[in-house]
Amino acid sequence: MKDQELFPFPRGRVQEADLSLASSLREMMEREVAAKRLEMKEDYEGLLRPALRRALCETGLQRMMWPQHLGGEGHELHLAPYTVAAALEQLGRADTGLAVWAACGMSLQAVLCGRAEGDGLCERLAPLFRDEGDPLLISFILPVYGEGGDGALWQGRRLQVTAERTDKGWRLNGKAVRPLPGGLDAGLFGALCAVEGEKEPAFLIIPGDVQGLKRGPRLRATGLSACRQAELDLDEAEVPADACAWRGDAETRRLFCWYRLGMAAAASGALLAAHGIIAEWGDNRVIKGQGRLFKNNPLTASVMGEAAQETAVVRLLAYDLAEMLAEAEMRGEAGSERLEAYSLLLAHQALAAAERVLHRIMELMASAGYAKEWQLERYWRDVKTVQCQLGCVELARHALARWFFGSEGL
Amino acid sequence: MAARSADAGSGGARGRGDAGMRAADLEILDNRYMWELVAPGDRLFISMIRDFVDREVMPIRRQLEESTRGDFSLVREVQQKLVRMGFQKAFLPAEYGGWNLTAALTYCLVLDEFGRGEPACVAALGGGAWAMRPAVFAGNRRVLDDFAHRFCGDELYVACFAMTEPSGGCNIENVDLHGRGIHTRARLEGDEWVLDGSKVWPTNSGISDIYCVVCNTDPSLGDEGIALIYVPVPIEGFSFGRFEDKAGFRASREGDFQFDGVRVPREYRAAGPGEDAELLHDNLIFARLFSAAWAVGIAQGAFDDALAFAREKVVAGRPLCQHSLAANLLADMAIDIQVGRDSYVNAAYMYDHPESYGSRVSPQMLSRSTLTKVFCSDMAVRVTNLAMELMGDAGGDASYHVEKLWRDNKIIQLWEGGVQLGKLDVARGYYRYEQFHPNSLYERMRGGGSG
Ligand SMILES: Cc1cc2nc3c(=O)[nH]c(=O)nc-3n(C[C@H](O)[C@H](O)[C@H](O)COP(=O)(O)OP(=O)(O)OC[C@H]3O[C@@H](n4cnc5c(N)ncnc54)[C@H](O)[C@@H]3O)c2cc1C
């Protein structure tokens, strides 16, 4: 049985088109990534880039929510969360980093296209999103914990970039700015910026080739090798007035909700991949003595059962979040504080469970789990990296305490 | 940027380099375990290693891993310095030029020190002590006469304890199998042992000068069939496959190799039937003890780095470490680490004193050493995870060290019995657990084909 059917998900809510997109993505990724995985380690530029192009451009994910009159597919926003869950799960199954890139692109599309009134920005960006030759990699410059620089804050976190209004638009400055998921290859940045002299931050879209933007050297990270990290310096970089995609918190929260949906789906995909790996191991490895197959040993079978249990839960959490985003009338708008709290809760829960499962599966496979050859360790590193990027779980719990108990002054 | 350059900082945070450290801090650090438990002669050795780690390893620990993506030259430089310090020969009896250093507790404390710095780079030398231990304990003069002097020179001379096979490591370690999981065969032809079989994963594969091979002379003999035979290389019939590429612990090298009719003198067997099995089990118990300490060291390194980060990083108006939430996480880590350290120190001390605590090779000692290994390696997984969590996005950033320690530690949990067999071995200390205890229901179901 394919894992798509093996682990439960709200089948009735997912459109046939999404299921067939998921199937074709799965096949495509088997061909483009799984089959070439070892060479890819040596040649990221050469091999992952085409895989990304196929995944994002050829399938239309990159322009999925973009309005049709601007060359997009015009996918309806209330259906899109399921599409994101189904598609990103399959990308994540092949490579967590691919899913993370797609998650960023789709989150930005969702928020830009969901704004009440259109403006010149969508029109200006349209060619980038509908480009079929090159994948558009988007990274976010979000507020971080910790102080430094001028220290303008958003919900207690430091805004990394400062924007100043000019006659023509905005002038941007920031040192050692850290975009997520990766600064080295991103073609477009979305930054929540402190606006000089104003209280409310602005979310600005910054092209990767803007003058004054300098990328630092590649920084190594635990995982997500598809998302190569580098810090940026923004030194008097100028962007036009319409680069401001939004002001106010609602859209920023909406962006977080979609981004977290992507992370949860990526984690679910990583666990589906891990399921395949441990299933193969369980079918072939023999524990001596009574000559039992690994999967028939009572002790190891119990851990395998635990892994399946948690994999199923992570998948359900991802689809739950999709449902919340899709059915605004049930639990409120994506831009609401309530949904932001729920998305935080679900994404952290999904990532924590995914991380636990990958630890457990690695324990079952012992050295083989630790060896690059078996691929498991890659998902283990990737999921841990995504978890780190989501932020400290203890601080997330503060946000939850604020929402659920009205805790103050945290 | 906060703590990014924590190399020196975190080393210093523990050692003498940190001028800002108050006397009270130092007192706590130096009272990590009871020094009275360590033989006076060995104390000097441990502080020498502590100093070495602070001076020679801490400042370059990231580069050490980087070096493993190339030619390992930096790793070898550190190892070479250890050779010159005498580390390589320490395990040998004094009459062979060594320092008689056999106490498990001393090795544990040494690995605790290396763990916080670069855990894997010491494996090439530690492998010598581990692999040659059966010959030393058995007093095998032929092996010591032929090879001891090589460990006393100025050049790196590497040894490997070759146990794991393609069909599994636990199948060999499982005492209930009495050697039936060992497929590498040794047969006596005249005055020579002839070896056939293959091994995967032993530390120092492919870079060793001598292998202590766990093999079987006749599986029907049970424990009597287990043999430990020394094979110096290069030798005809020995071939190395390839190095493994792993998630962490990269400064140590593992791979696969084959024995195809390899011949060595009959005296190269560590001891003889029955005794070799005992030496094997002893070595595994010893390894579980030092694995526990290694994991504690790694957890300590992660704690030191997380603390250095939390001291420097200012969040919401004060250093991160001054927030109750962070202090709580740091305390959780400290509790775990100290309990782990207490646990391995106790177990190793008991192992070193059979006159008070009974035979070194007993179900109780197997259980005790495994208990501490399982606890400490699980604990280090928890602590490195917490450290990454405390550091948020920086936790996964390789410019800090925590993520590397998180990767390095995981293997300690997986080797030496792994998680499941490890727990079975713990149970053996409390009652006569037998994995293959007759199961009438299972037999009936198999025989009757019902269900
Ligand atoms: C960095 C590194 C260094 C190493 N160094 C050495 C070395 O120096 N020498 C050496 O010989 N080997 C070495 N190894 C190999 C290591 O010791 C083995 O990997 C380990 O013993 C586990 O064996 P395995 O990987 O074959 O897993 P398996 O034996 O296949 O075990 C897999 C899983 O099955 C479980 N299991 C096994 N038996 C049972 C059972 N009876 N009941 C229930 N569950 C069970 C285990 O707990 C484990 O989770 C090293 C490995 C690494 C990665």
Side-chain angles (χ1 to χ4, degrees):
Chain A
M1 204 190 295
K2 276 193 184 161
D3 48 27
Q4 197 154 331
E5 288 104 50
L6 189 58
F7 290 98
F9 70 108
R11 176 81 174 72
R13 297 187 180 273
V14 183
Q15 306 275 303
E16 277 311 317
D18 293 338
L19 293 176
S20 89
L21 171 68
S23 281
S24 54
L25 269 173
R26 183 185 164 132
E27 276 164 33
M28 178 187 276
M29 290 300 107
E30 286 285 339
R31 245 187 355 259
E32 294 295 322
V33 181
K36 298 181 188 160
R37 195 59 227 182
L38 287 177
E39 305 109 87
M40 206 163 269
K41 210 165 50 109
E42 313 297 331
D43 184 13
Y44 167 87
E45 289 289 345
L47 289 163
L48 202 60
R49 206 67 188 194
L52 259 173
R53 188 176 61 75
R54 299 230 156 85
L56 299 185
C57 310
E58 272 182 27
T59 59
L61 285 181
Q62 181 161 298
R63 53 183 185 280
M64 189 180 84
M65 292 178 238
W66 217 252
Q68 276 175 335
H69 73 276
L70 294 177
E73 314 251 321
H75 192 37
E76 289 174 64
L77 274 182
H78 71 278
L79 298 175
Y82 295 115
T83 317
V84 170
L88 266 55
E89 195 175 64
Q90 290 309 323
L91 291 183
R93 208 174 155 274
D95 184 289
T96 319
L98 289 181
V100 169
W101 277 129
C104 292
M106 296 176 93
S107 321
L108 189 63
Q109 281 184 65
V111 186
L112 286 179
C113 302
R115 291 172 312 163
E117 54 211 74
D119 52 26
L121 180 62
C122 275
E123 222 155 295
R124 198 158 58 73
L125 295 179
L128 294 177
F129 280 88
R130 60 167 191 252
D131 188 342
E132 291 191 2
D134 213 10
L136 177 61
L137 302 183
I138 294 167
S139 270
F140 298 129
I141 301 173
L142 300 173
V144 291
Y145 285 102
E147 287 166 17
D150 292 336
L153 300 179
W154 183 79
Q155 297 192 352
R157 281 171 274 172
R158 182 172 64 84
L159 292 160
Q160 301 190 69
V161 178
T162 313
E164 182 194 337
R165 286 182 190 275
T166 65
D167 294 347
K168 285 186 260 162
W170 304 86
R171 184 176 301 131
L172 310 176
N173 280 291
K175 281 255 162 288
V177 167
R178 197 170 263 248
L180 289 181
L184 200 66
D185 301 303
L188 200 67
F189 296 95
L192 191 65
C193 306
V195 180
E196 214 127 284
E198 295 178 31
K199 245 182 108 186
E200 199 174 49
F203 194 89
L204 299 181
I205 305 293
I206 310 168
D209 57 0
V210 71
Q211 231 183 18
L213 182 152
K214 217 173 90 210
R215 297 174 205 245
R218 180 182 183 185
L219 298 173
R220 285 198 178 276
T222 306
L224 290 185
S225 58
C227 309
R228 302 191 300 174
Q229 186 56 283
E231 286 180 346
L232 312 179
D233 280 340
L234 285 159
D235 185 16
E236 309 277 294
E238 307 254 0
V239 292
D242 72 358
C244 179
W246 65 78
R247 306 291 299 262
D249 291 350
E251 255 76 22
T252 304
R253 283 200 212 100
R254 193 186 300 273
L255 183 81
F256 280 135
C257 289
W258 281 86
Y259 176 72
R260 289 174 189 146
L261 166 64
M263 298 305 113
S268 170
L271 291 192
L272 294 181
H275 170 80
I277 297 172
I278 188 64
E280 187 186 338
W281 179 262
D283 281 343
N284 294 296
R285 193 75 171 171
V286 174
I287 291 187
K288 288 267 168 172
Q290 290 163 344
R292 279 192 186 175
L293 278 182
F294 197 86
K295 66 177 180 185
N296 298 333
N297 176 293
L299 211 47
T300 48
S302 138
V303 183
M304 289 169 82
E306 179 192 336
Q309 188 182 352
E310 297 228 41
T311 301
V313 170
V314 169
R315 188 174 214 202
L316 290 174
L317 289 176
Y319 276 96
D320 247 10
L321 187 47
E323 187 187 44
M324 287 185 199
L325 288 176
E327 327 254 331
E329 63 282 7
M330 275 170 61
R331 295 205 181 82
E333 279 292 327
S336 65
E337 281 181 50
R338 176 211 274 242
L339 222 61
E340 211 233 314
Y342 287 171
S343 70
L344 188 69
L345 183 160
L346 291 180
H348 271 285
Q349 197 69 22
L351 265 301
E355 196 236 357
R356 226 173 17 245
V357 173
L358 288 162
H359 268 290
R360 299 296 271 153
I361 295 183
M362 188 179 274
E363 287 155 23
L364 288 178
M365 295 176 65
S367 297
Y370 201 62
K372 298 220 160 176
E373 193 179 342
W374 273 84
Q375 307 284 336
L376 182 82
E377 64 84 39
R378 173 166 62 88
Y379 295 100
W380 174 69
R381 288 184 292 110
D382 285 352
V383 161
K384 186 72 202 172
T385 310
V386 173
Q387 201 190 18
C388 286
Q389 293 187 351
L390 271 185
C392 177
V393 69
E394 298 291 333
L395 293 171
R397 286 181 186 147
H398 271 180
L400 296 179
R402 274 195 292 272
W403 169 253
F404 285 100
F405 300 102
S407 306
E408 285 177 8
L410 296 175
Chain B
M1 164 106 345
R4 175 83 65 74
S5 53
D7 284 319
S10 53
R14 182 169 201 289
R16 43 203 66 178
D18 189 344
M21 181 157 293
R22 291 183 310 277
D25 289 337
L26 283 172
E27 208 172 289
I28 290 175
L29 296 184
D30 282 343
N31 289 341
R32 283 179 179 176
Y33 46 86
M34 289 162 62
W35 279 98
E36 290 83 350
L37 300 180
V38 183
D42 292 358
R43 289 181 205 167
L44 184 67
F45 183 65
I46 293 161
S47 25
M48 219 167 83
I49 294 294
R50 179 181 287 192
D51 198 49
F52 180 87
V53 171
D54 283 336
R55 230 171 350 94
E56 305 285 352
V57 178
M58 284 304 196
I60 55 161
R61 49 198 175 140
R62 170 57 58 187
Q63 292 93 307
L64 280 169
E65 184 171 64
E66 279 306 312
S67 155
T68 69
R69 294 180 218 282
D71 61 0
F72 281 73
S73 55
L74 202 55
V75 175
R76 269 199 304 276
E77 259 176 52
V78 170
Q79 291 164 346
Q80 200 60 57
K81 285 180 185 165
L82 283 167
V83 173
R84 284 199 289 274
M85 267 174 68
F87 188 91
Q88 178 167 274
K89 63 179 179 189
F91 72 90
L92 285 169
E95 60 174 307
Y96 284 97
W99 296 350
N100 256 342
L101 208 139
T102 51
L105 182 53
T106 305
Y107 280 101
C108 286
L109 294 172
V110 162
L111 287 178
D112 191 336
E113 294 296 337
F114 275 105
R116 75 186 160 86
E118 196 338 298
C121 73
V122 70
L125 286 100
W130 191 35
M132 299 308 288
R133 209 175 140 83
V136 172
F137 272 55
N140 183 321
R141 300 209 75 87
R142 173 73 195 269
V143 170
L144 293 175
D145 286 345
D146 286 1
F147 303 107
H149 66 282
R150 306 290 305 269
F151 290 94
C152 297
D154 279 343
E155 290 305 314
L156 197 59
Y157 189 73
V158 182
C160 165
F161 190 69
M163 176 190 65
T164 305
E165 299 187 352
S167 59
C170 295
N171 288 338
I172 297 182
E173 293 181 46
N174 189 342
V175 289
D176 276 343
L177 286 171
H178 301 285
R180 273 181 293 145
I182 306 172
H183 293 105
T184 301
R185 290 282 173 274
R187 60 177 197 282
L188 201 54
E189 276 185 17
D191 265 352
E192 287 180 328
W193 286 107
V194 184
L195 272 71
D196 289 287
S198 45
K199 297 284 178 186
V200 291
W201 281 110
T203 298
N204 299 336
S205 307
I207 58 164
S208 279
D209 301 290
I210 184 164
Y211 290 79
C212 175
V213 184
V214 178
C215 47
N216 206 322
T217 57
D218 177 355
S220 69
L221 295 178
D223 283 344
E224 302 269 306
I226 295 176
L228 304 182
I229 295 177
Y230 287 92
V231 176
V233 296
I235 194 167
E236 203 182 321
F238 174 87
S239 57
F240 175 70
R242 63 174 177 84
F243 289 114
E244 289 287 348
D245 194 3
K246 345 185 267 296
F249 222 77
R250 296 179 62 89
S252 135
R253 311 208 81 179
E254 290 76 26
D256 59 289
F257 48 88
Q258 184 109 17
F259 301 96
D260 201 356
V262 169
R263 290 173 175 274
V264 293
R266 102 186 261 166
E267 295 90 342
Y268 281 7
R269 179 172 186 172
E275 291 159 279
D276 278 13
E278 182 117 345
L279 289 166
L280 168 65
H281 295 138
D282 180 39
N283 236 20
L284 294 177
I285 289 171
F286 176 66
R288 289 184 188 181
L289 291 170
F290 72 61
S291 296
W294 227 338
V296 169
I298 292 177
Q300 184 70 55
F303 175 83
D304 290 348
D305 283 351
L307 178 57
F309 178 87
R311 275 189 161 134
E312 223 172 297
K313 180 105 176 161
V314 177
V315 177
R318 49 187 162 164
L320 181 58
C321 66
Q322 296 302 341
H323 288 268
S324 58
L325 207 56
N328 185 61
L329 285 183
L330 287 161
D332 277 343
M333 292 184 225
I335 292 167
D336 251 354
I337 294 169
Q338 193 57 53
V339 171
R341 187 173 283 123
D342 291 349
S343 142
Y344 86 67
V345 167
N346 266 332
Y349 184 85
M350 290 165 103
Y351 171 89
D352 288 335
H353 293 84
E355 69 286 0
S356 308
Y357 298 100
S359 166
R360 286 202 316 251
V361 185
S362 65
Q364 284 69 31
M365 204 58 231
L366 173 66
S367 167
R368 190 68 192 228
S369 63
T370 312
L371 180 154
T372 188
K373 186 259 180 187
V374 170
F375 177 81
C376 292
S377 56
D378 285 359
M379 173 282 284
V381 169
R382 273 197 307 276
V383 167
T384 49
N385 261 321
L386 275 185
M388 286 176 86
E389 202 172 299
L390 180 72
M391 293 169 66
D393 181 31
D397 178 340
S399 0
Y400 299 88
H401 300 285
V402 166
E403 72 84 30
K404 176 180 173 298
L405 294 168
W406 177 80
R407 283 184 287 117
D408 286 346
N409 173 66
K410 188 69 188 170
I411 187 55
I412 299 185
Q413 195 188 32
L414 310 179
W415 72 29
E416 277 289 326
V419 176
Q420 283 73 34
L421 183 63
K423 291 198 181 157
L424 300 183
D425 286 343
V426 172
R428 291 180 213 280
Y430 296 85
Y431 63 97
R432 199 155 172 260
Y433 171 75
E434 295 167 290
Q435 186 169 8
F436 307 114
H437 194 85
N439 179 340
S440 54
L441 177 65
Y442 181 71
E443 293 310 323
R444 227 173 55 219
M445 281 162 67
R446 271 193 4 167
S450 55

